[in-house]
Amino acid sequence: MTFSYNKLWKLLIDNNMMKKDLKEKAKINSNTMANMGKGLPVSMEVLGRICVVLRCNIGDIVEVIYD
């Protein structure tokens, strides 16, 4: 099982935001951003902060990929 953050990356493009903007606004550290880039799990707290910044739901930014 892996996670896909492709919806998040598309949402950033749609909102004309860069990853570094999200990192600053949602207070995400570099390791967490790297983990998301690799499709690794991150905490619900981080996902929640991203949702607040983007005004969306968790399902709008991440999906589970079953092997």
mmCIF file of all heavy atoms in Angstrom, residues 11-63:
data_model
loop_
_atom_site.group_PDB
_atom_site.id
_atom_site.type_symbol
_atom_site.label_atom_id
_atom_site.label_comp_id
_atom_site.label_asym_id
_atom_site.label_seq_id
_atom_site.Cartn_x
_atom_site.Cartn_y
_atom_site.Cartn_z
ATOM 1 N N LEU A 11 -3.887 20.329 -7.198
ATOM 2 C CA LEU A 11 -4.573 21.419 -6.498
ATOM 3 C C LEU A 11 -3.651 22.619 -6.322
ATOM 4 O O LEU A 11 -4.088 23.764 -6.450
ATOM 5 C CB LEU A 11 -5.069 20.914 -5.137
ATOM 6 C CG LEU A 11 -6.204 21.629 -4.451
ATOM 7 C CD1 LEU A 11 -7.423 21.759 -5.356
ATOM 8 C CD2 LEU A 11 -6.581 20.912 -3.171
ATOM 9 N N LEU A 12 -2.387 22.361 -6.054
ATOM 10 C CA LEU A 12 -1.427 23.464 -5.948
ATOM 11 C C LEU A 12 -1.323 24.220 -7.274
ATOM 12 O O LEU A 12 -1.337 25.452 -7.302
ATOM 13 C CB LEU A 12 -0.043 22.945 -5.538
ATOM 14 C CG LEU A 12 0.108 22.446 -4.116
ATOM 15 C CD1 LEU A 12 1.539 21.968 -3.872
ATOM 16 C CD2 LEU A 12 -0.276 23.509 -3.104
ATOM 17 N N ILE A 13 -1.243 23.478 -8.381
ATOM 18 C CA ILE A 13 -1.185 24.108 -9.701
ATOM 19 C C ILE A 13 -2.448 24.927 -9.950
ATOM 20 O O ILE A 13 -2.376 26.074 -10.397
ATOM 21 C CB ILE A 13 -0.989 23.044 -10.800
ATOM 22 C CG1 ILE A 13 0.404 22.421 -10.683
ATOM 23 C CG2 ILE A 13 -1.199 23.650 -12.190
ATOM 24 C CD1 ILE A 13 0.602 21.163 -11.511
ATOM 25 N N ASP A 14 -3.609 24.339 -9.648
ATOM 26 C CA ASP A 14 -4.885 25.039 -9.853
ATOM 27 C C ASP A 14 -4.968 26.327 -9.045
ATOM 28 O O ASP A 14 -5.611 27.289 -9.457
ATOM 29 C CB ASP A 14 -6.068 24.134 -9.493
ATOM 30 C CG ASP A 14 -6.217 22.955 -10.449
ATOM 31 O OD1 ASP A 14 -5.594 22.980 -11.543
ATOM 32 O OD2 ASP A 14 -6.946 22.008 -10.106
ATOM 33 N N ASN A 15 -4.331 26.328 -7.860
ATOM 34 C CA ASN A 15 -4.343 27.508 -6.989
ATOM 35 C C ASN A 15 -3.123 28.404 -7.199
ATOM 36 O O ASN A 15 -2.891 29.328 -6.422
ATOM 37 C CB ASN A 15 -4.414 27.076 -5.523
ATOM 38 C CG ASN A 15 -5.787 26.589 -5.139
ATOM 39 O OD1 ASN A 15 -6.760 27.315 -5.267
ATOM 40 N ND2 ASN A 15 -5.880 25.345 -4.705
ATOM 41 N N ASN A 16 -2.343 28.084 -8.243
ATOM 42 C CA ASN A 16 -1.159 28.876 -8.580
ATOM 43 C C ASN A 16 -0.197 28.984 -7.393
ATOM 44 O O ASN A 16 0.327 30.057 -7.100
ATOM 45 C CB ASN A 16 -1.575 30.266 -9.081
ATOM 46 C CG ASN A 16 -0.497 30.911 -9.924
ATOM 47 O OD1 ASN A 16 0.326 30.220 -10.504
ATOM 48 N ND2 ASN A 16 -0.496 32.224 -9.977
ATOM 49 N N MET A 17 -0.017 27.861 -6.698
ATOM 50 C CA MET A 17 0.886 27.795 -5.550
ATOM 51 C C MET A 17 2.048 26.863 -5.869
ATOM 52 O O MET A 17 1.889 25.916 -6.634
ATOM 53 C CB MET A 17 0.180 27.244 -4.310
ATOM 54 C CG MET A 17 -0.731 28.201 -3.604
ATOM 55 S SD MET A 17 -1.497 27.415 -2.156
ATOM 56 C CE MET A 17 -0.123 27.336 -1.029
ATOM 57 N N MET A 18 3.167 27.130 -5.251
ATOM 58 C CA MET A 18 4.317 26.239 -5.362
ATOM 59 C C MET A 18 4.420 25.424 -4.075
ATOM 60 O O MET A 18 3.862 25.805 -3.043
ATOM 61 C CB MET A 18 5.589 27.053 -5.592
ATOM 62 C CG MET A 18 5.561 27.843 -6.888
ATOM 63 S SD MET A 18 7.045 28.821 -7.127
ATOM 64 C CE MET A 18 8.223 27.527 -7.458
ATOM 65 N N LYS A 19 5.168 24.319 -4.133
ATOM 66 C CA LYS A 19 5.335 23.478 -2.948
ATOM 67 C C LYS A 19 5.929 24.277 -1.797
ATOM 68 O O LYS A 19 5.539 24.082 -0.646
ATOM 69 C CB LYS A 19 6.216 22.267 -3.262
ATOM 70 C CG LYS A 19 5.541 21.237 -4.130
ATOM 71 C CD LYS A 19 6.462 20.055 -4.386
ATOM 72 C CE LYS A 19 5.816 19.047 -5.297
ATOM 73 N NZ LYS A 19 6.695 17.893 -5.547
ATOM 74 N N LYS A 20 6.855 25.172 -2.097
ATOM 75 C CA LYS A 20 7.474 25.957 -1.020
ATOM 76 C C LYS A 20 6.458 26.875 -0.345
ATOM 77 O O LYS A 20 6.534 27.128 0.848
ATOM 78 C CB LYS A 20 8.671 26.751 -1.530
ATOM 79 C CG LYS A 20 8.332 27.856 -2.487
ATOM 80 C CD LYS A 20 9.584 28.629 -2.884
ATOM 81 C CE LYS A 20 9.174 29.752 -3.815
ATOM 82 N NZ LYS A 20 9.660 31.021 -3.438
ATOM 83 N N ASP A 21 5.460 27.366 -1.109
ATOM 84 C CA ASP A 21 4.399 28.192 -0.527
ATOM 85 C C ASP A 21 3.568 27.367 0.457
ATOM 86 O O ASP A 21 3.262 27.817 1.561
ATOM 87 C CB ASP A 21 3.481 28.754 -1.619
ATOM 88 C CG ASP A 21 4.211 29.629 -2.621
ATOM 89 O OD1 ASP A 21 5.155 30.338 -2.215
ATOM 90 O OD2 ASP A 21 3.846 29.602 -3.812
ATOM 91 N N LEU A 22 3.203 26.156 0.035
ATOM 92 C CA LEU A 22 2.433 25.274 0.907
ATOM 93 C C LEU A 22 3.241 24.934 2.145
ATOM 94 O O LEU A 22 2.712 24.944 3.261
ATOM 95 C CB LEU A 22 2.053 23.992 0.157
ATOM 96 C CG LEU A 22 1.286 22.966 0.985
ATOM 97 C CD1 LEU A 22 -0.084 23.502 1.379
ATOM 98 C CD2 LEU A 22 1.161 21.660 0.228
ATOM 99 N N LYS A 23 4.516 24.652 1.945
ATOM 100 C CA LYS A 23 5.405 24.300 3.066
ATOM 101 C C LYS A 23 5.394 25.397 4.123
ATOM 102 O O LYS A 23 5.290 25.122 5.317
ATOM 103 C CB LYS A 23 6.816 24.066 2.526
ATOM 104 C CG LYS A 23 7.802 23.613 3.538
ATOM 105 C CD LYS A 23 9.154 23.375 2.880
ATOM 106 C CE LYS A 23 10.169 23.154 3.956
ATOM 107 N NZ LYS A 23 11.409 23.841 3.757
ATOM 108 N N GLU A 24 5.480 26.640 3.694
ATOM 109 C CA GLU A 24 5.488 27.768 4.634
ATOM 110 C C GLU A 24 4.127 27.974 5.292
ATOM 111 O O GLU A 24 4.034 28.110 6.508
ATOM 112 C CB GLU A 24 5.903 29.044 3.896
ATOM 113 C CG GLU A 24 7.344 29.058 3.454
ATOM 114 C CD GLU A 24 7.675 30.238 2.551
ATOM 115 O OE1 GLU A 24 6.836 31.158 2.420
ATOM 116 O OE2 GLU A 24 8.776 30.239 1.975
ATOM 117 N N LYS A 25 3.073 27.995 4.483
ATOM 118 C CA LYS A 25 1.741 28.291 5.014
ATOM 119 C C LYS A 25 1.206 27.209 5.940
ATOM 120 O O LYS A 25 0.524 27.499 6.908
ATOM 121 C CB LYS A 25 0.755 28.533 3.865
ATOM 122 C CG LYS A 25 1.034 29.820 3.127
ATOM 123 C CD LYS A 25 0.035 30.037 2.020
ATOM 124 C CE LYS A 25 0.350 31.336 1.289
ATOM 125 N NZ LYS A 25 -0.616 31.620 0.230
ATOM 126 N N ALA A 26 1.513 25.946 5.630
ATOM 127 C CA ALA A 26 1.021 24.835 6.453
ATOM 128 C C ALA A 26 2.045 24.388 7.495
ATOM 129 O O ALA A 26 1.803 23.424 8.214
ATOM 130 C CB ALA A 26 0.630 23.663 5.558
ATOM 131 N N LYS A 27 3.189 25.075 7.545
ATOM 132 C CA LYS A 27 4.247 24.741 8.511
ATOM 133 C C LYS A 27 4.659 23.271 8.406
ATOM 134 O O LYS A 27 4.623 22.518 9.378
ATOM 135 C CB LYS A 27 3.810 25.097 9.922
ATOM 136 C CG LYS A 27 3.580 26.581 10.120
ATOM 137 C CD LYS A 27 3.168 26.886 11.545
ATOM 138 C CE LYS A 27 3.025 28.364 11.786
ATOM 139 N NZ LYS A 27 1.836 28.965 11.215
ATOM 140 N N ILE A 28 5.057 22.883 7.196
ATOM 141 C CA ILE A 28 5.490 21.512 6.919
ATOM 142 C C ILE A 28 7.007 21.511 6.803
ATOM 143 O O ILE A 28 7.571 22.363 6.109
ATOM 144 C CB ILE A 28 4.868 21.008 5.605
ATOM 145 C CG1 ILE A 28 3.339 21.069 5.684
ATOM 146 C CG2 ILE A 28 5.330 19.594 5.297
ATOM 147 C CD1 ILE A 28 2.661 20.825 4.357
ATOM 148 N N ASN A 29 7.668 20.552 7.438
ATOM 149 C CA ASN A 29 9.131 20.515 7.331
ATOM 150 C C ASN A 29 9.570 19.816 6.053
ATOM 151 O O ASN A 29 8.789 19.155 5.366
ATOM 152 C CB ASN A 29 9.775 19.904 8.587
ATOM 153 C CG ASN A 29 9.504 18.433 8.729
ATOM 154 O OD1 ASN A 29 9.548 17.671 7.781
ATOM 155 N ND2 ASN A 29 9.235 18.013 9.965
ATOM 156 N N SER A 30 10.828 19.976 5.719
ATOM 157 C CA SER A 30 11.372 19.449 4.459
ATOM 158 C C SER A 30 11.263 17.933 4.364
ATOM 159 O O SER A 30 10.989 17.388 3.288
ATOM 160 C CB SER A 30 12.837 19.861 4.306
ATOM 161 O OG SER A 30 12.937 21.256 4.256
ATOM 162 N N ASN A 31 11.481 17.235 5.476
ATOM 163 C CA ASN A 31 11.384 15.772 5.465
ATOM 164 C C ASN A 31 9.976 15.307 5.123
ATOM 165 O O ASN A 31 9.797 14.351 4.371
ATOM 166 C CB ASN A 31 11.805 15.183 6.812
ATOM 167 C CG ASN A 31 13.291 15.298 7.055
ATOM 168 O OD1 ASN A 31 14.073 15.429 6.113
ATOM 169 N ND2 ASN A 31 13.683 15.270 8.310
ATOM 170 N N THR A 32 8.989 15.978 5.669
ATOM 171 C CA THR A 32 7.600 15.611 5.395
ATOM 172 C C THR A 32 7.270 15.847 3.924
ATOM 173 O O THR A 32 6.626 15.011 3.286
ATOM 174 C CB THR A 32 6.643 16.401 6.313
ATOM 175 O OG1 THR A 32 6.965 16.099 7.673
ATOM 176 C CG2 THR A 32 5.201 16.037 6.043
ATOM 177 N N MET A 33 7.722 16.978 3.378
ATOM 178 C CA MET A 33 7.485 17.257 1.952
ATOM 179 C C MET A 33 8.164 16.189 1.099
ATOM 180 O O MET A 33 7.580 15.721 0.110
ATOM 181 C CB MET A 33 8.003 18.645 1.574
ATOM 182 C CG MET A 33 7.175 19.784 2.107
ATOM 183 S SD MET A 33 5.482 19.846 1.493
ATOM 184 C CE MET A 33 5.727 20.334 -0.200
ATOM 185 N N ALA A 34 9.367 15.778 1.481
ATOM 186 C CA ALA A 34 10.084 14.732 0.738
ATOM 187 C C ALA A 34 9.323 13.411 0.809
ATOM 188 O O ALA A 34 9.200 12.706 -0.204
ATOM 189 C CB ALA A 34 11.493 14.570 1.293
ATOM 190 N N ASN A 35 8.798 13.081 1.985
ATOM 191 C CA ASN A 35 8.021 11.849 2.138
ATOM 192 C C ASN A 35 6.790 11.864 1.245
ATOM 193 O O ASN A 35 6.446 10.852 0.624
ATOM 194 C CB ASN A 35 7.611 11.632 3.599
ATOM 195 C CG ASN A 35 8.765 11.187 4.457
ATOM 196 O OD1 ASN A 35 9.795 10.746 3.955
ATOM 197 N ND2 ASN A 35 8.611 11.305 5.764
ATOM 198 N N MET A 36 6.127 12.995 1.180
ATOM 199 C CA MET A 36 4.951 13.101 0.315
ATOM 200 C C MET A 36 5.345 12.944 -1.150
ATOM 201 O O MET A 36 4.625 12.311 -1.922
ATOM 202 C CB MET A 36 4.238 14.434 0.560
ATOM 203 C CG MET A 36 3.564 14.467 1.916
ATOM 204 S SD MET A 36 2.954 16.068 2.457
ATOM 205 C CE MET A 36 2.153 16.716 1.058
ATOM 206 N N GLY A 37 6.484 13.478 -1.512
ATOM 207 C CA GLY A 37 6.963 13.333 -2.878
ATOM 208 C C GLY A 37 7.259 11.886 -3.250
ATOM 209 O O GLY A 37 7.181 11.501 -4.415
ATOM 210 N N LYS A 38 7.568 11.075 -2.230
ATOM 211 C CA LYS A 38 7.867 9.650 -2.437
ATOM 212 C C LYS A 38 6.641 8.762 -2.238
ATOM 213 O O LYS A 38 6.739 7.542 -2.314
ATOM 214 C CB LYS A 38 8.959 9.202 -1.461
ATOM 215 C CG LYS A 38 10.289 9.892 -1.682
ATOM 216 C CD LYS A 38 11.258 9.495 -0.588
ATOM 217 C CE LYS A 38 12.541 10.294 -0.677
ATOM 218 N NZ LYS A 38 13.405 10.068 0.486
ATOM 219 N N GLY A 39 5.495 9.358 -1.928
ATOM 220 C CA GLY A 39 4.287 8.572 -1.716
ATOM 221 C C GLY A 39 4.241 7.873 -0.379
ATOM 222 O O GLY A 39 3.540 6.876 -0.216
ATOM 223 N N LEU A 40 4.975 8.386 0.595
ATOM 224 C CA LEU A 40 4.989 7.794 1.932
ATOM 225 C C LEU A 40 3.917 8.443 2.806
ATOM 226 O O LEU A 40 3.487 9.567 2.546
ATOM 227 C CB LEU A 40 6.371 7.975 2.560
ATOM 228 C CG LEU A 40 7.520 7.290 1.823
ATOM 229 C CD1 LEU A 40 8.856 7.667 2.451
ATOM 230 C CD2 LEU A 40 7.336 5.790 1.820
ATOM 231 N N PRO A 41 3.488 7.749 3.855
ATOM 232 C CA PRO A 41 2.460 8.318 4.731
ATOM 233 C C PRO A 41 2.988 9.498 5.545
ATOM 234 O O PRO A 41 4.169 9.547 5.896
ATOM 235 C CB PRO A 41 2.074 7.155 5.648
ATOM 236 C CG PRO A 41 3.238 6.228 5.618
ATOM 237 C CD PRO A 41 3.881 6.398 4.273
ATOM 238 N N VAL A 42 2.108 10.444 5.812
ATOM 239 C CA VAL A 42 2.408 11.563 6.707
ATOM 240 C C VAL A 42 1.294 11.636 7.740
ATOM 241 O O VAL A 42 0.250 11.022 7.577
ATOM 242 C CB VAL A 42 2.559 12.909 5.944
ATOM 243 C CG1 VAL A 42 3.713 12.840 4.962
ATOM 244 C CG2 VAL A 42 1.279 13.286 5.238
ATOM 245 N N SER A 43 1.504 12.393 8.787
ATOM 246 C CA SER A 43 0.540 12.420 9.885
ATOM 247 C C SER A 43 -0.771 13.103 9.488
ATOM 248 O O SER A 43 -0.803 13.952 8.590
ATOM 249 C CB SER A 43 1.141 13.133 11.096
ATOM 250 O OG SER A 43 1.188 14.530 10.868
ATOM 251 N N MET A 44 -1.817 12.720 10.181
ATOM 252 C CA MET A 44 -3.123 13.345 9.968
ATOM 253 C C MET A 44 -3.061 14.830 10.311
ATOM 254 O O MET A 44 -3.746 15.643 9.706
ATOM 255 C CB MET A 44 -4.195 12.665 10.832
ATOM 256 C CG MET A 44 -4.546 11.275 10.370
ATOM 257 S SD MET A 44 -5.347 11.251 8.765
ATOM 258 C CE MET A 44 -6.905 11.994 9.172
ATOM 259 N N GLU A 45 -2.220 15.183 11.265
ATOM 260 C CA GLU A 45 -2.066 16.582 11.648
ATOM 261 C C GLU A 45 -1.570 17.405 10.456
ATOM 262 O O GLU A 45 -2.076 18.488 10.178
ATOM 263 C CB GLU A 45 -1.090 16.712 12.816
ATOM 264 C CG GLU A 45 -0.896 18.143 13.268
ATOM 265 C CD GLU A 45 0.129 18.261 14.385
ATOM 266 O OE1 GLU A 45 0.438 17.257 15.047
ATOM 267 O OE2 GLU A 45 0.623 19.384 14.567
ATOM 268 N N VAL A 46 -0.579 16.883 9.751
ATOM 269 C CA VAL A 46 -0.041 17.578 8.567
ATOM 270 C C VAL A 46 -1.117 17.683 7.490
ATOM 271 O O VAL A 46 -1.326 18.746 6.904
ATOM 272 C CB VAL A 46 1.213 16.849 8.023
ATOM 273 C CG1 VAL A 46 1.603 17.392 6.656
ATOM 274 C CG2 VAL A 46 2.361 16.982 9.005
ATOM 275 N N LEU A 47 -1.806 16.575 7.229
ATOM 276 C CA LEU A 47 -2.870 16.598 6.225
ATOM 277 C C LEU A 47 -3.943 17.609 6.602
ATOM 278 O O LEU A 47 -4.468 18.324 5.742
ATOM 279 C CB LEU A 47 -3.470 15.200 6.050
ATOM 280 C CG LEU A 47 -2.530 14.133 5.504
ATOM 281 C CD1 LEU A 47 -3.226 12.783 5.468
ATOM 282 C CD2 LEU A 47 -1.994 14.508 4.136
ATOM 283 N N GLY A 48 -4.264 17.684 7.882
ATOM 284 C CA GLY A 48 -5.256 18.647 8.353
ATOM 285 C C GLY A 48 -4.818 20.083 8.119
ATOM 286 O O GLY A 48 -5.616 20.927 7.695
ATOM 287 N N ARG A 49 -3.547 20.372 8.384
ATOM 288 C CA ARG A 49 -3.037 21.736 8.154
ATOM 289 C C ARG A 49 -3.074 22.097 6.676
ATOM 290 O O ARG A 49 -3.397 23.226 6.303
ATOM 291 C CB ARG A 49 -1.622 21.876 8.714
ATOM 292 C CG ARG A 49 -1.583 21.868 10.235
ATOM 293 C CD ARG A 49 -0.275 22.399 10.798
ATOM 294 N NE ARG A 49 0.911 21.814 10.232
ATOM 295 C CZ ARG A 49 1.659 20.872 10.809
ATOM 296 N NH1 ARG A 49 1.324 20.401 11.996
ATOM 297 N NH2 ARG A 49 2.738 20.412 10.221
ATOM 298 N N ILE A 50 -2.756 21.111 5.826
ATOM 299 C CA ILE A 50 -2.825 21.353 4.380
ATOM 300 C C ILE A 50 -4.261 21.658 3.973
ATOM 301 O O ILE A 50 -4.510 22.584 3.193
ATOM 302 C CB ILE A 50 -2.280 20.134 3.598
ATOM 303 C CG1 ILE A 50 -0.776 19.993 3.830
ATOM 304 C CG2 ILE A 50 -2.596 20.261 2.107
ATOM 305 C CD1 ILE A 50 -0.178 18.695 3.305
ATOM 306 N N CYS A 51 -5.205 20.897 4.507
ATOM 307 C CA CYS A 51 -6.615 21.116 4.186
ATOM 308 C C CYS A 51 -7.074 22.507 4.608
ATOM 309 O O CYS A 51 -7.842 23.157 3.889
ATOM 310 C CB CYS A 51 -7.488 20.052 4.847
ATOM 311 S SG CYS A 51 -7.328 18.430 4.074
ATOM 312 N N VAL A 52 -6.622 22.976 5.757
ATOM 313 C CA VAL A 52 -6.991 24.316 6.222
ATOM 314 C C VAL A 52 -6.461 25.365 5.247
ATOM 315 O O VAL A 52 -7.188 26.282 4.845
ATOM 316 C CB VAL A 52 -6.466 24.576 7.656
ATOM 317 C CG1 VAL A 52 -6.601 26.035 8.028
ATOM 318 C CG2 VAL A 52 -7.200 23.692 8.653
ATOM 319 N N VAL A 53 -5.202 25.217 4.838
ATOM 320 C CA VAL A 53 -4.590 26.188 3.919
ATOM 321 C C VAL A 53 -5.318 26.193 2.577
ATOM 322 O O VAL A 53 -5.610 27.249 2.016
ATOM 323 C CB VAL A 53 -3.087 25.887 3.716
ATOM 324 C CG1 VAL A 53 -2.509 26.687 2.562
ATOM 325 C CG2 VAL A 53 -2.318 26.174 4.997
ATOM 326 N N LEU A 54 -5.641 25.001 2.063
ATOM 327 C CA LEU A 54 -6.252 24.895 0.740
ATOM 328 C C LEU A 54 -7.777 24.889 0.776
ATOM 329 O O LEU A 54 -8.415 24.835 -0.274
ATOM 330 C CB LEU A 54 -5.741 23.636 0.028
ATOM 331 C CG LEU A 54 -4.245 23.606 -0.264
ATOM 332 C CD1 LEU A 54 -3.844 22.258 -0.859
ATOM 333 C CD2 LEU A 54 -3.849 24.741 -1.194
ATOM 334 N N ARG A 55 -8.338 24.895 1.991
ATOM 335 C CA ARG A 55 -9.796 24.856 2.162
ATOM 336 C C ARG A 55 -10.415 23.680 1.400
ATOM 337 O O ARG A 55 -11.265 23.847 0.522
ATOM 338 C CB ARG A 55 -10.441 26.168 1.727
ATOM 339 C CG ARG A 55 -10.022 27.348 2.576
ATOM 340 C CD ARG A 55 -10.775 28.602 2.180
ATOM 341 N NE ARG A 55 -10.495 29.677 3.104
ATOM 342 C CZ ARG A 55 -11.196 29.934 4.208
ATOM 343 N NH1 ARG A 55 -12.210 29.178 4.532
ATOM 344 N NH2 ARG A 55 -10.874 30.952 4.977
ATOM 345 N N CYS A 56 -9.934 22.486 1.764
ATOM 346 C CA CYS A 56 -10.408 21.277 1.103
ATOM 347 C C CYS A 56 -10.531 20.149 2.123
ATOM 348 O O CYS A 56 -10.294 20.364 3.308
ATOM 349 C CB CYS A 56 -9.435 20.884 -0.017
ATOM 350 S SG CYS A 56 -7.802 20.391 0.572
ATOM 351 N N ASN A 57 -10.894 18.981 1.671
ATOM 352 C CA ASN A 57 -10.974 17.793 2.516
ATOM 353 C C ASN A 57 -9.802 16.870 2.220
ATOM 354 O O ASN A 57 -9.186 16.951 1.147
ATOM 355 C CB ASN A 57 -12.284 17.045 2.264
ATOM 356 C CG ASN A 57 -13.466 17.816 2.788
ATOM 357 O OD1 ASN A 57 -13.469 18.275 3.922
ATOM 358 N ND2 ASN A 57 -14.482 17.989 1.952
ATOM 359 N N ILE A 58 -9.515 15.959 3.134
ATOM 360 C CA ILE A 58 -8.372 15.064 2.979
ATOM 361 C C ILE A 58 -8.464 14.262 1.681
ATOM 362 O O ILE A 58 -7.469 14.080 0.986
ATOM 363 C CB ILE A 58 -8.215 14.151 4.210
ATOM 364 C CG1 ILE A 58 -7.733 14.986 5.392
ATOM 365 C CG2 ILE A 58 -7.240 13.006 3.930
ATOM 366 C CD1 ILE A 58 -7.623 14.247 6.701
ATOM 367 N N GLY A 59 -9.648 13.816 1.323
ATOM 368 C CA GLY A 59 -9.826 13.064 0.083
ATOM 369 C C GLY A 59 -9.501 13.876 -1.165
ATOM 370 O O GLY A 59 -9.291 13.313 -2.241
ATOM 371 N N ASP A 60 -9.449 15.184 -1.025
ATOM 372 C CA ASP A 60 -9.101 16.056 -2.156
ATOM 373 C C ASP A 60 -7.594 16.132 -2.380
ATOM 374 O O ASP A 60 -7.153 16.650 -3.405
ATOM 375 C CB ASP A 60 -9.618 17.480 -1.919
ATOM 376 C CG ASP A 60 -11.130 17.556 -1.821
ATOM 377 O OD1 ASP A 60 -11.820 16.738 -2.477
ATOM 378 O OD2 ASP A 60 -11.629 18.426 -1.088
ATOM 379 N N ILE A 61 -6.802 15.634 -1.415
ATOM 380 C CA ILE A 61 -5.342 15.773 -1.537
ATOM 381 C C ILE A 61 -4.574 14.460 -1.512
ATOM 382 O O ILE A 61 -3.432 14.416 -1.941
ATOM 383 C CB ILE A 61 -4.779 16.722 -0.443
ATOM 384 C CG1 ILE A 61 -5.061 16.207 0.959
ATOM 385 C CG2 ILE A 61 -5.292 18.131 -0.632
ATOM 386 C CD1 ILE A 61 -4.405 17.000 2.069
ATOM 387 N N VAL A 62 -5.167 13.401 -1.010
ATOM 388 C CA VAL A 62 -4.445 12.123 -0.909
ATOM 389 C C VAL A 62 -5.384 10.964 -1.198
ATOM 390 O O VAL A 62 -6.578 11.031 -0.926
ATOM 391 C CB VAL A 62 -3.795 11.962 0.485
ATOM 392 C CG1 VAL A 62 -4.820 11.869 1.583
ATOM 393 C CG2 VAL A 62 -2.860 10.763 0.527
ATOM 394 N N GLU A 63 -4.823 9.915 -1.799
ATOM 395 C CA GLU A 63 -5.582 8.688 -1.979
ATOM 396 C C GLU A 63 -4.683 7.492 -1.707
ATOM 397 O O GLU A 63 -3.466 7.575 -1.860
ATOM 398 C CB GLU A 63 -6.214 8.613 -3.365
ATOM 399 C CG GLU A 63 -5.259 8.608 -4.514
ATOM 400 C CD GLU A 63 -5.970 8.646 -5.856
ATOM 401 O OE1 GLU A 63 -7.131 8.210 -5.944
ATOM 402 O OE2 GLU A 63 -5.357 9.084 -6.829
#
